[in-house]
Amino acid sequence: MSKVAFGKTPDGKTVDLYVLQNGRITVKISTYGAIITSIEVPDRDGKLDDVVLGFDDLTGYLGKHPYFGATVGRVANRVAKGKFTLNGHEYTLATNNGPNTLHGGLKGFDKVVWKAEELESGDGPSVRLSYTSPDGEEGYPGNLSVSILFTVTADDKLKIEYTAETDKATPVNLSNHSYFNLGGKNSDTIRDHEITLNADRYTPVDDTLIPTGEIAPVADTPYDLRKPTVIGARIDRLQNEPRGFDHNFVLNNPDGKLTLAAHVYDPKSGRVLEVSTTEPGVQFYTGNFLDGTDKGKGGVAYKQHQAICLETQHFPDSINHPSFPNTVLEPGKKYSQTTVYTFSTR
Ligand code: GLA
């Protein structure tokens, strides 16, 4: 475990980068945005490469970008029209995604500086990042204290454990927005990657990506990813614009125990990523909005379908859908979610 200076925010706050490694894999985490800036893992020949999109320096992250590696909250994903009612009170959030609120609003958890504490947990090197979101921040009720423990384990897992507590009822939905391309830094799109999702159902959306409320079976639709599926060929069967996956899949995970959600394989490099989570859903997003304008690490222009996101979370707009799993955290209760990314090769 080591810590390096990453720079300063425009208002003078110091930002550090924590480096967690186990001798094979190296993960870097920035205190700005609790952002995972890099994950280096070996391919089937032992060659290391960075498998997440992002920038070489803090300046890149301080600019406008689509949540590369970021922790998203207080409510990840969309809240329809930026409005919800809780305990008889209507709350209004800033809208930052067409008519809706996305990933916490104008200044979400991806744009604040987190406090860090280095730990050597039984499982491996860890860093705990914490942030207290004040009552009313981005329109949300209650002082919410959030803590995230990132650990790199001896068996090549990156474990992320989130907890949160509040002093007023508030919706909470935390996730990480890493963009994975298992081919590494200079790789082409993820069209050749194979994906398997442990999901029998998904939540269909309207054209602003808000769930209609229906929970539909994936069987006999292009959303059936229960067997290894080549992503590019499947994207070509979709009708949405910009073309690609940007859907919440309902995980086969009825009791909230840590369960396999996704398996991703890159036949070229042999790298495998498995994602397990305690969450009921995963937003599978294929970088549909990337269009070459974001220039990332090494100056690479990130094009459409350059990477995939597997955002483990509660369903989008849950706060406005009583039939979806509950996202309201009450005072005296503890929010927790655990997601584990396991890296291997074949
Ligand atoms: C999420 C959303 C996408 C897109 C990205 C960021 O994955 O579901 O629609 O907004 O974030 O660009």
Side-chain angles (χ1 to χ4, degrees):
M1 143 89 67
S2 58
K3 172 176 115 172
V4 292
F6 201 35
K8 278 199 163 67
T9 60
D11 59 348
K13 291 201 180 96
T14 302
V15 178
D16 294 316
L17 203 57
Y18 282 82
V19 184
L20 309 180
Q21 44 199 154
N22 69 0
R24 269 181 315 280
I25 77 170
T26 305
V27 176
K28 295 184 185 158
I29 297 151
S30 154
T31 55
Y32 177 74
I35 293 170
I36 298 172
T37 63
S38 159
I39 303 181
E40 271 188 2
V41 298
D43 69 4
R44 63 161 77 84
D45 301 318
K47 199 177 139 284
L48 288 173
D49 208 336
D50 186 350
V51 295
V52 287
L53 270 47
F55 302 102
D56 291 318
D57 52 29
L58 179 62
T59 318
Y61 292 102
L62 292 172
K64 203 176 147 39
H65 68 93
Y67 306 92
F68 290 134
T71 292
V72 281
R74 175 180 307 201
V75 175
N77 217 307
R78 292 176 175 77
V79 176
K81 312 263 190 301
K83 284 199 187 300
F84 64 91
T85 301
L86 186 55
N87 296 337
H89 188 290
E90 189 182 68
Y91 292 92
T92 302
L93 313 169
T95 51
N96 60 338
N97 186 250
N100 306 317
T101 302
L102 177 67
H103 296 325
L106 297 175
K107 188 174 179 188
F109 291 178
D110 57 304
K111 294 182 187 70
V112 299
V113 178
W114 295 63
K115 227 189 266 150
E117 186 191 347
E118 290 178 35
L119 300 163
E120 213 33 75
S121 69
D123 285 345
S126 302
V127 61
R128 173 175 291 132
L129 297 186
S130 41
Y131 175 67
T132 300
S133 168
D135 187 8
E137 188 179 45
E138 292 296 320
Y140 286 104
N143 295 294
L144 181 76
S145 36
V146 184
S147 150
I148 313 179
L149 183 64
F150 294 87
T151 306
V152 168
T153 69
D155 54 353
D156 295 348
K157 294 182 195 307
L158 165 60
K159 188 156 80 171
I160 310 184
E161 294 161 278
Y162 307 74
T163 55
E165 284 175 285
T166 185
D167 58 5
K168 242 188 231 171
T170 179
V172 181
N173 190 22
L174 303 178
S175 191
N176 179 274
H177 209 299
S178 285
Y179 285 72
F180 294 96
N181 184 321
L182 298 180
K185 258 189 190 164
N186 295 310
S187 153
D188 200 6
T189 69
I190 47 70
R191 287 183 59 88
D192 290 347
H193 285 34
E194 288 170 23
I195 186 135
T196 317
L197 291 184
N198 181 20
D200 291 339
R201 295 172 301 158
Y202 77 111
T203 50
V205 286
D206 68 16
D207 50 13
T208 71
L209 297 175
I210 293 292
T212 59
E214 188 195 353
I215 294 185
V218 296
D220 305 317
T221 77
Y223 303 100
D224 190 347
L225 303 173
R226 293 174 293 180
K227 299 226 166 71
T229 304
V230 178
I231 296 175
R234 187 54 66 90
I235 284 177
D236 293 341
R237 286 178 50 194
L238 300 176
Q239 304 296 329
N240 63 332
E241 281 306 331
R243 190 73 50 97
F245 288 95
D246 195 355
H247 294 83
N248 169 62
F249 286 78
V250 178
L251 294 169
N252 302 330
N253 181 11
D255 53 9
K257 294 223 176 74
L258 192 68
T259 305
L260 185 70
H263 181 108
V264 189
Y265 172 58
D266 171 31
K268 254 196 211 139
S269 67
R271 291 192 184 93
V272 174
L273 164 65
E274 281 175 316
V275 182
S276 303
T277 188
T278 55
E279 287 299 284
V282 65
Q283 181 86 7
F284 174 43
Y285 172 56
T286 47
N288 314 336
F289 294 108
L290 298 175
D291 60 5
T293 50
D294 290 301
K295 300 233 172 15
K297 296 169 187 172
V300 172
Y302 293 141
K303 47 182 187 282
Q304 195 182 40
H305 307 145
Q306 186 81 38
I308 58 169
C309 300
L310 291 160
E311 303 154 55
T312 53
Q313 55 187 240
H314 276 53
F315 306 172
D317 198 29
S318 281
I319 189 68
N320 291 311
H321 290 276
S323 61
F324 286 0
N326 175 43
T327 51
V328 176
L329 178 67
E330 300 286 347
K333 292 265 159 50
K334 200 169 198 159
Y335 165 93
S336 66
Q337 93 107 311
T338 299
T339 296
V340 178
Y341 306 85
T342 306
F343 297 93
S344 60
T345 59
R346 66 173 146 95

